[in-house]
Every structure is written in structure tokens, then in C-alpha cells.
Amino acid sequence: MCMNYNFIKYQELYSNSGARWLQDDGEVHVLGWQENCNDWQEWSRGFHPTTARLSRKLFLEGKMVIHSCYSPIPEVTTWQGFDKLLAYTSKRVPQIPPTHHYVCMNFTMRPHRAYLIEQLAVEDVFELGRISWGDREPPLDAGILNQLQRKTRKKYRCEEPWMEAQDEEQWQLPPVHDMPSPPVKVWADTAFNLVTETHHNKEGSIVTEKIWQPMWHARPVLCNGPVNVHQHLVDNGYRLMEDIDYSFDSIKEERTRVERLAQQVAQLCKRFSPAQIVKRNREVSLHNQRRIYQQVLEEGMPWAVTAPGVCSPGAKDMREHLVGVWYAIRNSRR
């Protein structure tokens, strides 16, 4: 007898209408898992009571399979290629001489991101980059900010998160604010991406679309992320930026790891101009762009994206989007 498969997008479980896709006559596949969650209770918090009750029942009976790019619990089926595809964009970064050393994008406020921005100011390289932060006020400790301003006579202010026009973007999965396409005009003005990953203290090297986006564009990348995140990239065939001492990557104490990273950024920016950094990392960037193309095409589409079954509206849109992106990548001459 053939198994019935139902597919639903994770976010639809927050609504009562999501219950219609949680049928007990087959197997339910949920596309998406909040990476911050360490167990079922955290994951289902905020679900509509009806969908929470049905989801828990199906999960305990072994009739629900959850798919995501990362999860700390073994019951979740993981596929890192998910975020690689979400990171792909039809936009291009203009090839112009950069005037700033780095771009550091911070859409959601998190402690490790705030501390990095503070340390960049302490290391006197704040103004060498383009830094976005939610409310534009720099997330510096008031005492440190006052001390810096008295000492340097400088003003410290972040930029608003950049949302450039979406007209030319062919692969935008709604909602736009949840996965905005890269601000390519801002990127073009900078030499490398100083990525602040979503996670900083989770077990395992969690890599999201934030790292993959610049790699699609052959951009140098340095990451404020979990322990050994750079080693994780090397283990997967990627190359790291030149002229950086990566000993900070294995430091387990979180604030110390951020401080050492900021020191490396400062040394790099004070030693080389933006144009020199681009030139010195050109081969690394092209290698990583080739590598991400190779990985995505070799891995292909997972079963959860291509298998026959009944799809909720959200799951249908997501599956069609991922398949479309994969074929766009395969046919790309970039």
C-alpha cells in the first residue's frame, strides 16, 4: 500500500488553518525548524493550540518528519543545502573600486553582534566599514562609547538595514523582510563581508544563508559565528581569507573569540587598502564560488523537495521556489 505524504511549511503551524494538513492517514513532513530550539516544547511554543496538539501527537507516533538546515536534536532531518539555495540571487554586485574595507550587516539584534560592533570601535576600525544595526544607534556600552568619543572626537553611528529595490530579483521567497536579497550597491562599496551569523554559542558549526550569499558573488568572507565555523568551511572544501590568523576560531569563551576576531579585522584593515584586500583574495573568492556551485549541483534536491504528496500553500511555494533556484543555478553561466 502506498504511503500518503503531506507537506507543510513550518510557519503555517502558527495558524489554526495549518491543522488541515496534519492528517493522521499518512506521514506529515514539516519544512523548517527554528534553529534556536533545543527540544519539542521550544519548537512548538507559539503554535495554535490545535496545531500544537495534533503536531505533538503525530510526532510521538512517529508520523511527523521535520526537515531543516540545522537542529541540535537528532530527530530532525538536516540538509545544509536548504540555506545555500535560499541564499542564491539573480542580482550582481557591480565591479567598482571599493571605498570601505568591510560590510557588516545586522538585521536582528543579538548580543554577539553588538559586542563585535563595540570591539570594532575599540580597535578604531568602526568607520572603515559599513555597519547596519536595527535602530542605527551603535550598540556600544555607554561608558565605552563616551570614553571613545572623548578620546577620538569621532561620532559613532550605524546605518539602517539596507533594503534595495527588489525589481531585478527573480528568486525572492516571501516575506521579503525574512530573506532579503543582498544590498549589492553597498557590497560593491566594500572589500569583504564581515558576517555575523545567527548563532554564536550553539554546539556544532552552524552555517546559514548569511555566509552563502557572499560566496555566490565571489566575495571574501570572515565570520563572527560558532566555535570552529571557519574550520567547518575548510572541511567542506572552502578556502579562507588571506592574511588572517584564525586561532580565534577555536576559542570557546564567546567574548574572547569576538575580541580576537575584531583584532584580526583591525590588523587587516590597517595593513591593506580595500582594493588590495580584493586583489589578494581574488583566487580564494573564485574558488569558493566554484565550490558552492559544485556542492549544490552534486547534492541535488532532497526527497522532501521533490517527493509526490499533498502540499499546503506554503510548502507548495517553498518547494517550487527551491526547485526553480536549483535549475537556475544549473543553467547559470556565472
Side-chain angles (χ1 to χ4, degrees):
M1 186 173 66
C2 294
M3 172 75 76
N4 295 321
Y5 300 113
N6 291 325
F7 296 88
I8 183 171
K9 188 178 179 182
Y10 161 69
Q11 287 86 345
E12 291 172 302
L13 296 174
Y14 287 87
S15 167
N16 183 43
S17 62
R20 64 175 294 195
W21 309 102
L22 301 178
Q23 302 299 320
D24 201 15
D25 60 348
E27 195 171 72
V28 175
H29 291 261
V30 181
L31 306 181
W33 167 274
Q34 276 288 6
E35 294 92 345
N36 289 323
C37 300
N38 294 303
D39 53 40
W40 173 268
Q41 292 299 329
E42 284 187 70
W43 184 67
S44 59
R45 188 177 298 144
F47 284 8
H48 186 278
T50 302
T51 58
R53 184 174 62 254
L54 290 173
S55 297
R56 181 171 177 79
K57 177 177 180 294
L58 291 170
F59 187 77
L60 292 176
E61 292 176 353
K63 295 181 179 179
M64 174 179 281
V65 182
I66 304 167
H67 304 264
S68 186
C69 66
Y70 167 81
S71 173
I73 70 170
E75 291 84 359
V76 175
T77 302
T78 59
W79 174 51
Q80 279 205 347
F82 179 74
D83 272 20
K84 291 191 182 89
L85 292 182
L86 290 182
Y88 184 78
T89 172
S90 62
K91 287 188 173 182
R92 300 290 189 272
V93 178
Q95 298 299 307
I96 60 175
T99 63
H100 289 76
H101 284 76
Y102 63 88
V103 57
C104 183
M105 299 168 59
N106 302 277
F107 188 70
T108 304
M109 302 176 190
R110 299 182 188 275
H112 66 284
R113 294 172 174 169
Y115 194 56
L116 175 62
I117 294 173
E118 180 178 279
Q119 289 303 301
L120 292 171
V122 170
E123 294 293 336
D124 198 26
V125 290
F126 184 98
E127 75 282 0
L128 298 183
R130 296 192 62 177
I131 303 171
S132 69
W133 185 255
D135 59 5
R136 300 190 66 188
E137 291 297 327
L140 276 66
D141 175 88
I144 291 177
L145 179 60
N146 291 335
Q147 183 181 8
L148 284 171
Q149 289 178 334
R150 284 197 303 269
K151 179 181 177 181
T152 64
R153 307 288 183 181
K154 295 177 181 177
K155 295 287 185 181
Y156 295 88
R157 192 162 174 80
C158 300
E159 300 183 56
E160 293 179 356
W162 303 289
M163 292 286 188
E164 294 178 350
Q166 303 293 316
D167 295 346
E168 60 182 290
E169 178 56 69
Q170 299 175 22
W171 301 110
Q172 181 63 57
L173 181 65
V176 172
H177 69 269
D178 205 31
M179 183 68 67
S181 58
V184 293
K185 294 176 183 177
V186 176
W187 285 18
D189 187 42
T190 60
F192 69 95
N193 288 58
L194 179 54
V195 172
T196 55
E197 262 296 0
T198 304
H199 303 285
H200 195 251
N201 60 351
K202 292 284 185 179
E203 291 293 328
S205 296
I206 310 166
V207 179
T208 72
E209 84 287 346
K210 297 170 186 65
I211 279 184
W212 304 129
Q213 269 192 346
M215 285 191 178
W216 282 120
H217 290 276
R219 298 264 305 170
V221 178
L222 195 58
C223 183
N224 177 25
V227 175
N228 291 323
V229 65
H230 293 90
Q231 184 59 51
H232 173 78
L233 293 173
V234 171
D235 292 344
N236 281 273
Y238 295 91
R239 291 173 57 183
L240 305 180
M241 276 186 67
E242 303 286 355
D243 307 303
I244 297 290
D245 177 0
Y246 287 93
S247 58
F248 70 86
D249 196 44
S250 59
I251 296 175
K252 293 186 177 181
E253 207 288 311
E254 296 171 33
R255 290 171 73 87
T256 303
R257 191 163 72 252
V258 173
E259 291 164 6
R260 298 289 176 80
L261 168 61
Q263 291 168 8
Q264 287 301 307
V265 172
Q267 291 177 23
L268 180 73
C269 294
K270 293 174 182 178
R271 184 180 177 188
F272 300 109
S273 70
Q276 288 174 322
I277 293 174
V278 171
K279 184 177 181 180
R280 294 177 69 83
N281 286 278
R282 189 58 181 161
E283 286 302 316
V284 169
S285 301
L286 289 173
H287 168 86
N288 289 342
Q289 186 186 54
R290 290 192 295 267
R291 178 58 181 152
I292 192 171
Y293 269 92
Q294 178 189 33
Q295 266 197 326
V296 166
L297 294 177
E298 286 180 351
E299 290 173 359
M301 290 282 97
W303 179 90
V305 175
T306 59
V310 179
C311 294
S312 69
K316 178 178 180 292
D317 288 346
M318 177 176 285
R319 283 169 32 124
E320 289 178 351
H321 175 85
L322 293 174
V323 171
V325 170
W326 191 87
Y327 278 103
I329 292 168
R330 192 187 70 170
N331 298 328
S332 173
R333 297 182 182 276
R334 190 185 291 186

